[in-house]
């Protein structure tokens, strides 16, 4: 059985978490500060605010930017659901833009057409760790005076022109669920150069307390979106190995590219990557010639003990988004990607022999069944 994803935990992680357990200091302590300092370095920002998840990080950014009922936020329908849900949490409206044909990220040219007087932010997602077209997006945004938020939850360590994602807009987020490049079990962070956003999100995550006042003084309505010390310790140990983890993942992706190249019914990820961008490999998603072929192959892989998953389903076609009036055909490129994309097993310690196993099943199936389905 080859799993879809798997965290990479060493003795170092176990040691650091154990040290917290022995310290009696399980929350609001020094390890969270250490984790935040390390994360600010990774994003190249002045501030990092650790929180309980990537989703809560996004929710806090909506609040910190004062987004609420009647406002619109432009974003992509091809993402994990929380990048759109955070807009609904504050009563605002997600305004979707389709993705670039054949790619995974939001189409900058579609953004300009969707800007109205109600647009309060553009929420860009660096899907699967591939940097979105930030230069173009930042240019459009600044022409209209609209802030850009980066959902970099799938892209820790990715770069554009040498500059890390998560530090390119007014604020960014990373997430640390166990399938991400690095994990804290559950966890997330807000990265920003703006002291106002940093302080406000820190207060909102901590029941509306202000950092320099009494513990039971609540200046505003807040939440408990804090990270804990155990998770932060796990995160510190993971971050110490970030470069090695990203390099290993890039090697695994390279083995897949090599093993699966020249398959006519299969499109490999990443051909749109430009020379000035650096990917942080999150998942390995291939596209098949048709929806039917994707479904048949997914079943075959599962039958042979290889975990895989259609990636991503379109957000606007999720049951509760349909109730807002969205339907098939609204965002054709997103729907094409959603209908034909399949995430194959992908994790830091994946071996070349595992890749060869997956590739052999795929190739055998494509050669036997592929031509019939045309
Ligand atoms: C993982 C992820 C998040 C946040 O997920 P959590 O599980 O809440 O940490 C947000 N956006 C995207 C694109 C993600 O992949």
């Amino acid at each position: 059985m080859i799993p879809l994803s798997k965290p990479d935990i060493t003795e170092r992680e176990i040691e650091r978490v154990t040290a917290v357990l022995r310290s009696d200091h399980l929350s609001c302590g020094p390890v969270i500060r250490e984790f935040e300092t390390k994360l600010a370095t990774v994003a190249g920002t002045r501030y990092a605010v650790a929180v309980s998840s990537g989703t809560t990080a996004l929710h806090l950014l909506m609040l910190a930017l004062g987004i609420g009922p009647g406002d619109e936020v432009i974003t992509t329908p091809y993402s994990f659901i929380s990048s759109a849900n955070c807009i609904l949490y504050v009563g605002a409206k997600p305004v979707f833009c389709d993705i670039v044909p054949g790619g995974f990220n939001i189409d900058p040219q579609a953004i300009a057409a969707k800007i109205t007087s109600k647009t309060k932010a553009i929420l860009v997602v660096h899907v699967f760790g591939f940097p979105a077209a930030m230069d173009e997006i930042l240019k459009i945004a600044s022409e209209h005076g609209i802030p850009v938020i980066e959902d970099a939850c799938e892209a820790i360590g990715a770069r554009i022109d040498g500059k890390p994602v998560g530090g390119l807009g007014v604020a960014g987020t990373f997430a640390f669920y166990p399938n991400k490049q690095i994990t804290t079990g559950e966890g997330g962070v807000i990265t920003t150069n703006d002291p106002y956003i940093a302080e406000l999100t820190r207060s909102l995550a901590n029941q509306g307390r202000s950092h320099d006042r009494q513990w039971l003084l609540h200046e505003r309505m807040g939440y408990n979106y804090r990270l804990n010390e155990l998770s932060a310790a796990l995160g510190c140990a993971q971050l110490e190995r970030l470069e090695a983890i990203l390099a290993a993942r890039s090697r695994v992706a390279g083995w897949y590219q090599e093993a699966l190249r020249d398959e006519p019914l299969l499109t490999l990820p990443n051909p749109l990557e430009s020379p000035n961008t650096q990917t942080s490999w999150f998942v390995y998603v291939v596209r098949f010639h048709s929806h039917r072929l994707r479904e048949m192959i997914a079943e075959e892989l599962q039958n042979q003990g290889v975990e895989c998953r259609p990636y991503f389903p379109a957000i606007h076609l999720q049951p509760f988004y349909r109730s807002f009036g969205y339907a098939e055909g609204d965002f054709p490129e997103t729907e094409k990607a959603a209908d034909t994309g399949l995430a194959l097993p992908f994790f830091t310690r994946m071996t070349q022999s595992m890749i060869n196993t997956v590739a052999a099943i795929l190739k055998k199936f494509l050669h036997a069944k592929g031509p019939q389905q045309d």
Side-chain angles (χ1 to χ4, degrees):
M1 156 94 192
I2 304 179
L4 186 60
S5 74
K6 191 170 143 69
D8 174 21
I9 304 297
T10 67
E11 281 307 312
R12 175 73 179 151
E13 277 81 355
I14 293 166
E15 252 170 48
R16 290 231 39 188
V17 173
T18 310
V20 170
L21 284 171
R22 293 187 199 286
S23 76
D24 289 342
H25 207 155
L26 305 189
S27 194
C28 301
V31 185
I32 290 170
R33 297 289 101 81
E34 179 192 341
F35 187 45
E36 289 178 337
T37 304
K38 285 184 157 76
L39 286 165
T41 305
V42 169
T45 55
R46 284 168 68 193
Y47 308 100
V49 179
V51 292
S52 54
S53 73
T55 305
T56 56
L58 288 166
H59 182 194
L60 293 178
L61 281 178
M62 293 294 113
L63 294 167
L65 293 185
I67 295 165
D71 295 337
E72 295 178 352
V73 178
I74 294 176
T75 192
T76 174
Y78 188 69
S79 173
F80 182 60
I81 191 112
S82 51
S83 60
N85 279 356
C86 67
I87 302 163
L88 296 178
Y89 292 165
V90 295
K93 183 182 172 196
V95 172
F96 292 123
C97 275
D98 210 350
I99 56 174
V100 176
F104 295 121
N105 282 315
I106 194 165
D107 186 346
Q109 286 173 0
I111 293 178
K114 296 280 175 98
I115 293 176
T116 72
S117 58
K118 295 178 182 168
T119 310
K120 287 290 167 341
I122 299 170
L123 200 167
V124 177
V125 183
H126 302 294
V127 175
F128 306 153
F130 300 108
M134 286 303 284
D135 289 350
E136 269 176 272
I137 294 167
L138 288 168
K139 187 162 169 281
I140 293 163
S142 79
E143 280 164 14
H144 293 84
I146 297 168
V148 175
I149 296 168
E150 292 177 274
D151 177 340
C153 289
E154 302 186 350
I156 190 166
R159 287 166 184 271
I160 301 172
D161 290 328
K163 285 180 279 180
V165 301
L168 303 172
V170 306
T173 62
F174 297 108
F176 310 114
Y177 187 73
N179 73 331
K180 307 278 165 154
Q181 290 90 329
I182 67 157
T183 186
T184 60
E186 295 280 1
V189 69
I190 293 157
T191 51
T192 184
N193 288 312
D194 183 328
Y196 171 80
I197 292 176
E199 202 173 311
L200 185 52
T201 53
R202 191 181 292 290
S203 168
L204 288 168
N206 189 20
Q207 307 282 18
R209 294 176 172 106
S210 87
H211 69 99
D212 53 354
R213 306 282 291 277
Q214 307 155 38
W215 184 248
L216 287 179
L217 188 71
H218 305 274
E219 304 209 329
R220 52 181 66 82
M221 186 187 78
Y223 303 81
N224 179 357
Y225 284 174
R226 293 185 303 259
L227 192 70
N228 64 76
E229 292 277 297
L230 297 154
S231 290
L234 177 50
C236 285
Q238 294 262 285
L239 276 185
E240 283 166 15
R241 298 192 293 116
L242 180 63
E243 289 310 314
I245 286 172
L246 296 183
R249 296 175 80 90
S250 174
R251 198 159 55 237
V252 173
W255 289 334
Y256 263 130
Q257 304 286 75
E258 184 61 29
L260 294 175
R261 81 194 150 123
D262 302 331
E263 285 298 325
L265 300 171
L266 181 77
T267 309
L268 301 180
N270 146 37
L272 297 180
E273 192 181 3
S274 65
N276 61 339
T277 65
Q278 197 177 318
T279 297
S280 167
W281 286 90
F282 166 50
V283 285
Y284 192 82
V285 174
V286 295
R287 283 202 207 171
F288 292 95
H289 178 71
S290 69
H291 177 63
R292 208 169 93 81
L293 183 59
R294 195 269 309 269
E295 297 300 282
M296 291 193 301
I297 291 208
E299 195 184 325
E300 174 71 7
L301 286 168
Q302 301 280 6
N303 288 343
Q304 305 254 3
V306 174
E307 246 185 14
C308 58
R309 187 165 296 159
Y311 242 67
F312 283 116
I315 293 177
H316 68 285
L317 298 180
Q318 293 287 340
F320 76 103
Y321 276 84
R322 281 177 185 266
S323 70
F324 301 130
Y326 293 113
E328 272 88 2
D330 287 348
F331 304 101
E333 293 302 329
T334 294
E335 290 165 33
K336 236 185 277 171
D339 283 347
T340 61
L342 189 69
L344 302 177
F346 189 78
F347 45 92
T348 306
R349 298 217 173 229
M350 215 172 159
T351 62
Q352 197 160 13
S353 106
M354 291 177 190
I355 303 276
N356 291 340
T357 303
V358 178
I361 297 169
L362 272 175
K363 284 174 153 169
K364 188 168 167 212
F365 193 84
L366 283 172
H367 296 166
K369 294 278 168 54
Q372 298 170 17
Q373 60 94 47
D374 264 359

